[in-house]
Amino acid sequence: MSDQARHRAPDDDAEPVVRLGGEVAEPVVRAGGDAAEPMVRAENVHKAFGHVKVLRGIDVTVPRGNVCVVLGPSGSGKSTFLRCINHLEKIDAGRIWVDGKLVGYQQKGDKLYELHDKAVAAQRREIGMVFQRFNLFPHMCALENVMEAPTMVKGQSKAESRRRGIELLDRVGLADKAGNYPSQLSGGQQQRVAIARALAMDPKLMLFDEPTSALDPELVGDVLDAMKDLARSGMTMVVVTHEIGFAREVGDQLIFMDDGVVIESGAPREVLANPQHPRTRDFLSKVL
Ligand SMILES: Nc1ncnc2c1ncn2[C@@H]1O[C@H](COP(=O)(O)OP(=O)(O)OP(=O)(O)O)[C@@H](O)[C@H]1O
Ligand SMILES: [Mg+2]
């Protein structure tokens, strides 16, 4: 497929709604680590599984320290988009940069070459991801779960991993549960261990995919509090969630996806109070 064909606009009749709050200055792309540059920049991202076009031209910019909340109906491509950000999925067209670096590819001239596994893994280490299912190691206690990656992957000393692990468990309100195994923790506590585990790698970006949707309602608050605390600390976050209160309180930007396209974006309070697109209105009327 020619590059031009791959970059065509989504074949959708409706114009996406973009408010002032959701607009960001055109980012300057440099080698990386520049404070003026957004943490995430996705440009015209396309992804298909077989004949099913799941992402049809996603453009999203997340400035450093911002929280971008992603809403949308089931099957709209939210998880797929998150997975593309850390190259768990390859993209068919478009570009994604994290911290100014092209994710998963290297550009030579006007051609893209996929990075080797080692280079992809190195990029992925800088991005923390928290899923709906926490996937803790069942044979390790909370602290060991948090210590594992920094010790094994980063080669950090056990003493340092332990010190930092205790600090992170304390941060998510679980200092007293460090020795508990996952089976001895509630779902909400396990999810907070999963957050601490992701933070132990000192990520520059955190991706959350419906981190509270598998939890009993009474356990959701503690996980959201840990995420709010993280947001206040300045972490850049992309959060797929149906927690509208969270979106309103800590979101800097809300994007609404439908059928592989961002159909509406802007400041969460504005989009939530006054959705412009009929499909956003319809969705919000069901979840609000
Ligand atoms: N590995 C895969 N192979 C084939 N199809 C897939 C794959 N992953 C996702 N899909 C399809 O892509 C579409 C979007 O899926 P995705 O999981 O991104 O949606 P979502 O917005 O996260 O939905 P939900 O709210 O239910 O989590 C769906 O139609 C899904 O069936
Ligand atoms: Mg999903």
Side-chain angles (χ1 to χ4, degrees):
M1 207 188 310
S2 80
D3 213 39
Q4 198 165 13
R6 288 165 46 178
H7 280 77
R8 74 187 180 281
D11 40 355
D12 195 89
D13 48 345
E15 274 293 300
V17 180
V18 181
R19 290 179 175 73
L20 267 179
E23 277 178 16
V24 267
E26 189 54 32
V28 185
V29 180
R30 299 194 190 85
D34 191 311
E37 200 175 312
M39 184 55 83
V40 181
R41 182 180 171 212
E43 201 178 84
N44 198 27
V45 173
H46 284 71
K47 171 75 187 173
F49 292 110
H51 295 298
V52 184
K53 291 178 183 167
V54 176
L55 301 178
R56 301 185 299 131
I58 301 283
D59 294 297
V60 170
T61 299
V62 186
R64 281 159 201 277
N66 272 26
V67 175
C68 173
V69 176
V70 183
L71 279 185
S74 182
S76 56
K78 307 179 297 295
S79 297
T80 304
F81 176 56
L82 270 199
R83 290 166 58 78
C84 288
I85 297 178
N86 63 2
H87 206 57
L88 285 172
E89 298 290 354
K90 292 175 191 175
I91 62 178
D92 300 332
R95 306 268 198 280
I96 300 176
W97 292 265
V98 169
D99 198 20
K101 282 177 251 166
L102 205 52
V103 173
Y105 301 90
Q106 194 178 15
Q107 184 155 357
K108 285 183 186 162
D110 58 357
K111 284 212 173 109
L112 290 188
Y113 297 88
E114 192 167 14
L115 292 175
H116 294 295
D117 290 352
K118 246 182 140 175
V120 171
Q123 287 191 329
R124 213 173 273 150
R125 278 202 288 279
E126 303 191 310
I127 305 173
M129 187 151 186
V130 175
F131 303 90
Q132 187 172 350
R133 303 253 160 237
F134 352 103
N135 302 324
L136 298 178
F137 299 116
H139 59 289
M140 293 182 187
C141 70
L143 180 57
E144 287 165 343
N145 263 284
V146 177
M147 289 171 59
E148 176 72 4
T151 313
M152 300 307 289
V153 181
K154 266 190 171 177
Q156 191 171 286
S157 77
K158 268 202 155 174
E160 174 57 13
S161 297
R162 177 175 296 274
R163 188 197 63 72
R164 182 95 165 92
I166 291 170
E167 187 181 290
L168 288 167
L169 286 174
D170 185 37
R171 187 165 164 193
V172 297
L174 292 174
D176 57 335
K177 302 287 183 193
N180 284 38
Y181 287 86
S183 61
Q184 301 167 324
L185 296 167
S186 75
Q189 290 167 341
Q190 289 184 58
Q191 191 58 301
R192 284 183 280 150
V193 174
I195 293 173
R197 181 178 59 175
L199 293 176
M201 290 296 283
D202 288 320
K204 48 175 80 161
L205 168 68
M206 285 284 286
L207 308 175
F208 291 86
D209 194 356
E210 302 205 39
T212 59
S213 57
L215 302 177
D216 289 338
E218 73 270 22
L219 303 177
V220 167
D222 287 338
V223 173
L224 291 180
D225 284 346
M227 291 168 63
K228 286 176 196 170
D229 177 63
L230 189 57
R232 282 188 209 106
S233 78
M235 176 65 75
T236 312
M237 296 162 57
V238 182
V239 185
V240 176
T241 184
H242 293 175
E243 292 292 333
I244 301 298
F246 176 87
R248 194 182 286 118
E249 196 181 327
V250 298
D252 296 293
Q253 180 188 177
L254 188 154
I255 67 172
F256 188 89
M257 284 179 65
D258 189 70
D259 199 15
V261 184
V262 175
I263 58 166
E264 183 154 3
S265 64
R269 279 169 203 277
E270 282 180 42
V271 176
L272 293 170
N274 190 17
Q276 298 294 304
H277 201 290
R279 277 175 279 180
T280 320
R281 279 205 289 270
D282 181 52
F283 179 85
L284 290 176
S285 71
K286 287 176 189 146
V287 299
L288 277 176

Short mmCIF file of all heavy atoms in Angstrom, two decimals, residues 190-224:
data_model
loop_
_atom_site.label_atom_id
_atom_site.label_comp_id
_atom_site.label_asym_id
_atom_site.label_seq_id
_atom_site.Cartn_x
_atom_site.Cartn_y
_atom_site.Cartn_z
N GLN A 190 -4.35 -5.62 45.21
CA GLN A 190 -3.50 -6.21 44.15
C GLN A 190 -3.25 -5.18 43.05
O GLN A 190 -2.15 -5.07 42.52
CB GLN A 190 -4.17 -7.44 43.56
CG GLN A 190 -4.20 -8.62 44.50
CD GLN A 190 -4.79 -9.86 43.84
OE1 GLN A 190 -4.31 -10.33 42.81
NE2 GLN A 190 -5.85 -10.38 44.41
N GLN A 191 -4.29 -4.42 42.72
CA GLN A 191 -4.11 -3.43 41.67
C GLN A 191 -3.14 -2.34 42.11
O GLN A 191 -2.35 -1.84 41.31
CB GLN A 191 -5.48 -2.84 41.27
CG GLN A 191 -5.48 -2.01 40.01
CD GLN A 191 -5.00 -2.74 38.77
OE1 GLN A 191 -3.86 -3.22 38.73
NE2 GLN A 191 -5.83 -2.80 37.75
N ARG A 192 -3.19 -1.98 43.39
CA ARG A 192 -2.24 -0.97 43.86
C ARG A 192 -0.81 -1.52 43.88
O ARG A 192 0.14 -0.79 43.63
CB ARG A 192 -2.67 -0.46 45.24
CG ARG A 192 -3.85 0.52 45.10
CD ARG A 192 -4.27 1.11 46.42
NE ARG A 192 -5.09 0.19 47.19
CZ ARG A 192 -5.14 0.14 48.52
NH1 ARG A 192 -4.38 0.95 49.23
NH2 ARG A 192 -5.92 -0.71 49.14
N VAL A 193 -0.66 -2.81 44.16
CA VAL A 193 0.67 -3.44 44.04
C VAL A 193 1.12 -3.36 42.58
O VAL A 193 2.29 -3.06 42.29
CB VAL A 193 0.66 -4.91 44.53
CG1 VAL A 193 2.01 -5.57 44.25
CG2 VAL A 193 0.32 -5.00 46.01
N ALA A 194 0.18 -3.61 41.67
CA ALA A 194 0.53 -3.55 40.24
C ALA A 194 0.99 -2.14 39.85
O ALA A 194 1.91 -1.98 39.05
CB ALA A 194 -0.67 -3.98 39.39
N ILE A 195 0.37 -1.14 40.43
CA ILE A 195 0.79 0.25 40.15
C ILE A 195 2.19 0.48 40.72
O ILE A 195 3.08 1.01 40.04
CB ILE A 195 -0.23 1.25 40.74
CG1 ILE A 195 -1.58 1.13 40.00
CG2 ILE A 195 0.31 2.69 40.66
CD1 ILE A 195 -2.71 1.95 40.62
N ALA A 196 2.40 0.04 41.96
CA ALA A 196 3.74 0.20 42.58
C ALA A 196 4.78 -0.55 41.75
O ALA A 196 5.90 -0.05 41.54
CB ALA A 196 3.71 -0.33 44.02
N ARG A 197 4.41 -1.71 41.25
CA ARG A 197 5.34 -2.51 40.45
C ARG A 197 5.72 -1.77 39.17
O ARG A 197 6.90 -1.74 38.77
CB ARG A 197 4.70 -3.86 40.11
CG ARG A 197 5.60 -4.76 39.31
CD ARG A 197 4.95 -6.09 39.02
NE ARG A 197 3.69 -5.95 38.29
CZ ARG A 197 2.98 -6.97 37.84
NH1 ARG A 197 3.40 -8.20 38.06
NH2 ARG A 197 1.86 -6.79 37.18
N ALA A 198 4.75 -1.15 38.55
CA ALA A 198 5.06 -0.39 37.33
C ALA A 198 5.94 0.82 37.65
O ALA A 198 6.88 1.13 36.92
CB ALA A 198 3.76 0.07 36.66
N LEU A 199 5.66 1.46 38.79
CA LEU A 199 6.43 2.66 39.16
C LEU A 199 7.87 2.32 39.53
O LEU A 199 8.75 3.17 39.44
CB LEU A 199 5.75 3.38 40.33
CG LEU A 199 4.40 4.00 40.01
CD1 LEU A 199 3.79 4.61 41.28
CD2 LEU A 199 4.54 5.07 38.93
N ALA A 200 8.09 1.08 39.95
CA ALA A 200 9.43 0.69 40.38
C ALA A 200 10.45 0.79 39.25
O ALA A 200 11.64 0.88 39.50
CB ALA A 200 9.40 -0.74 40.93
N MET A 201 9.97 0.79 38.01
CA MET A 201 10.88 0.92 36.88
C MET A 201 11.12 2.39 36.50
O MET A 201 11.74 2.68 35.48
CB MET A 201 10.32 0.17 35.67
CG MET A 201 10.35 -1.35 35.84
SD MET A 201 12.01 -2.01 35.96
CE MET A 201 12.50 -1.96 34.23
N ASP A 202 10.61 3.29 37.32
CA ASP A 202 10.76 4.73 37.05
C ASP A 202 10.32 5.12 35.63
O ASP A 202 11.09 5.70 34.86
CB ASP A 202 12.22 5.18 37.24
CG ASP A 202 12.57 5.19 38.71
OD1 ASP A 202 11.73 5.61 39.52
OD2 ASP A 202 13.70 4.77 39.04
N PRO A 203 9.08 4.78 35.30
CA PRO A 203 8.62 5.10 33.94
C PRO A 203 8.45 6.60 33.74
O PRO A 203 8.22 7.34 34.70
CB PRO A 203 7.26 4.40 33.88
CG PRO A 203 6.78 4.37 35.29
CD PRO A 203 8.01 4.22 36.13
N LYS A 204 8.54 7.02 32.50
CA LYS A 204 8.28 8.44 32.21
C LYS A 204 6.83 8.64 31.82
O LYS A 204 6.34 9.75 31.74
CB LYS A 204 9.23 8.95 31.12
CG LYS A 204 9.34 8.06 29.91
CD LYS A 204 10.20 8.70 28.84
CE LYS A 204 11.68 8.56 29.11
NZ LYS A 204 12.49 8.76 27.91
N LEU A 205 6.16 7.52 31.56
CA LEU A 205 4.77 7.55 31.12
C LEU A 205 4.06 6.33 31.70
O LEU A 205 4.62 5.24 31.75
CB LEU A 205 4.75 7.47 29.59
CG LEU A 205 3.43 7.22 28.89
CD1 LEU A 205 2.50 8.41 29.05
CD2 LEU A 205 3.66 6.93 27.40
N MET A 206 2.82 6.54 32.14
CA MET A 206 2.04 5.42 32.66
C MET A 206 0.76 5.26 31.84
O MET A 206 0.04 6.23 31.61
CB MET A 206 1.67 5.65 34.12
CG MET A 206 2.83 5.45 35.10
SD MET A 206 3.22 3.70 35.42
CE MET A 206 1.86 3.22 36.46
N LEU A 207 0.51 4.03 31.41
CA LEU A 207 -0.70 3.72 30.66
C LEU A 207 -1.59 2.85 31.54
O LEU A 207 -1.13 1.87 32.12
CB LEU A 207 -0.34 2.93 29.39
CG LEU A 207 0.73 3.53 28.48
CD1 LEU A 207 1.05 2.57 27.33
CD2 LEU A 207 0.29 4.89 27.95
N PHE A 208 -2.84 3.23 31.64
CA PHE A 208 -3.79 2.45 32.45
C PHE A 208 -4.93 2.00 31.55
O PHE A 208 -5.57 2.83 30.88
CB PHE A 208 -4.38 3.33 33.56
CG PHE A 208 -3.41 3.73 34.63
CD1 PHE A 208 -2.60 4.84 34.47
CD2 PHE A 208 -3.30 2.99 35.80
CE1 PHE A 208 -1.71 5.23 35.46
CE2 PHE A 208 -2.42 3.36 36.79
CZ PHE A 208 -1.61 4.48 36.64
N ASP A 209 -5.21 0.70 31.56
CA ASP A 209 -6.34 0.20 30.76
C ASP A 209 -7.44 -0.32 31.68
O ASP A 209 -7.36 -1.44 32.17
CB ASP A 209 -5.87 -0.90 29.81
CG ASP A 209 -6.93 -1.19 28.74
OD1 ASP A 209 -8.03 -0.59 28.80
OD2 ASP A 209 -6.65 -2.01 27.85
N GLU A 210 -8.42 0.49 31.91
CA GLU A 210 -9.55 0.16 32.79
C GLU A 210 -9.07 -0.49 34.10
O GLU A 210 -9.46 -1.62 34.43
CB GLU A 210 -10.52 -0.77 32.05
CG GLU A 210 -11.04 -0.13 30.77
CD GLU A 210 -12.39 -0.69 30.35
OE1 GLU A 210 -13.23 -0.92 31.25
OE2 GLU A 210 -12.61 -0.86 29.15
N PRO A 211 -8.25 0.25 34.84
CA PRO A 211 -7.63 -0.35 36.02
C PRO A 211 -8.61 -0.68 37.13
O PRO A 211 -8.28 -1.46 38.02
CB PRO A 211 -6.63 0.73 36.49
CG PRO A 211 -7.21 2.00 35.96
CD PRO A 211 -7.83 1.65 34.65
N THR A 212 -9.80 -0.12 37.09
CA THR A 212 -10.73 -0.37 38.19
C THR A 212 -11.96 -1.18 37.77
O THR A 212 -12.82 -1.47 38.59
CB THR A 212 -11.21 0.96 38.82
OG1 THR A 212 -11.86 1.73 37.81
CG2 THR A 212 -10.07 1.74 39.41
N SER A 213 -12.03 -1.53 36.49
CA SER A 213 -13.31 -2.09 36.04
C SER A 213 -13.53 -3.54 36.48
O SER A 213 -14.65 -4.04 36.39
CB SER A 213 -13.48 -1.94 34.53
OG SER A 213 -12.42 -2.55 33.89
N ALA A 214 -12.47 -4.21 36.97
CA ALA A 214 -12.67 -5.58 37.45
C ALA A 214 -12.89 -5.61 38.97
O ALA A 214 -12.99 -6.67 39.56
CB ALA A 214 -11.47 -6.45 37.08
N LEU A 215 -12.94 -4.42 39.57
CA LEU A 215 -12.97 -4.36 41.04
C LEU A 215 -14.38 -4.19 41.58
O LEU A 215 -15.24 -3.57 40.95
CB LEU A 215 -12.13 -3.18 41.53
CG LEU A 215 -10.66 -3.18 41.13
CD1 LEU A 215 -9.99 -1.91 41.65
CD2 LEU A 215 -9.95 -4.42 41.66
N ASP A 216 -14.59 -4.72 42.77
CA ASP A 216 -15.84 -4.44 43.47
C ASP A 216 -15.91 -2.94 43.72
O ASP A 216 -14.88 -2.31 44.00
CB ASP A 216 -15.89 -5.18 44.81
CG ASP A 216 -16.04 -6.68 44.60
OD1 ASP A 216 -16.51 -7.07 43.52
OD2 ASP A 216 -15.67 -7.45 45.50
N PRO A 217 -17.11 -2.37 43.64
CA PRO A 217 -17.24 -0.91 43.74
C PRO A 217 -16.56 -0.31 44.98
O PRO A 217 -15.94 0.75 44.89
CB PRO A 217 -18.76 -0.70 43.81
CG PRO A 217 -19.34 -1.90 43.17
CD PRO A 217 -18.40 -3.04 43.39
N GLU A 218 -16.60 -1.01 46.08
CA GLU A 218 -16.03 -0.41 47.29
C GLU A 218 -14.50 -0.40 47.28
O GLU A 218 -13.87 0.21 48.13
CB GLU A 218 -16.58 -1.09 48.56
CG GLU A 218 -16.05 -2.47 48.84
CD GLU A 218 -16.90 -3.57 48.20
OE1 GLU A 218 -17.63 -3.28 47.21
OE2 GLU A 218 -16.82 -4.72 48.66
N LEU A 219 -13.90 -1.08 46.31
CA LEU A 219 -12.44 -1.13 46.24
C LEU A 219 -11.87 -0.14 45.22
O LEU A 219 -10.67 0.07 45.13
CB LEU A 219 -11.98 -2.55 45.88
CG LEU A 219 -12.44 -3.66 46.83
CD1 LEU A 219 -11.98 -5.01 46.32
CD2 LEU A 219 -11.91 -3.41 48.24
N VAL A 220 -12.77 0.46 44.46
CA VAL A 220 -12.35 1.33 43.36
C VAL A 220 -11.68 2.61 43.89
O VAL A 220 -10.65 3.06 43.38
CB VAL A 220 -13.57 1.69 42.47
CG1 VAL A 220 -13.26 2.82 41.51
CG2 VAL A 220 -14.05 0.46 41.71
N GLY A 221 -12.24 3.16 44.96
CA GLY A 221 -11.78 4.46 45.47
C GLY A 221 -10.31 4.50 45.81
O GLY A 221 -9.61 5.45 45.45
N ASP A 222 -9.82 3.44 46.47
CA ASP A 222 -8.40 3.44 46.88
C ASP A 222 -7.47 3.41 45.67
O ASP A 222 -6.39 4.02 45.68
CB ASP A 222 -8.11 2.22 47.77
CG ASP A 222 -8.72 2.38 49.16
OD1 ASP A 222 -8.98 3.54 49.56
OD2 ASP A 222 -8.95 1.35 49.82
N VAL A 223 -7.89 2.68 44.63
CA VAL A 223 -7.06 2.62 43.42
C VAL A 223 -7.07 3.98 42.73
O VAL A 223 -6.02 4.49 42.31
CB VAL A 223 -7.55 1.49 42.47
CG1 VAL A 223 -6.79 1.54 41.16
CG2 VAL A 223 -7.39 0.14 43.14
N LEU A 224 -8.25 4.59 42.65
CA LEU A 224 -8.33 5.92 42.02
C LEU A 224 -7.51 6.94 42.82
O LEU A 224 -6.86 7.81 42.24
CB LEU A 224 -9.78 6.37 41.90
CG LEU A 224 -10.65 5.60 40.90
CD1 LEU A 224 -12.06 6.15 40.89
CD2 LEU A 224 -10.06 5.65 39.49
#
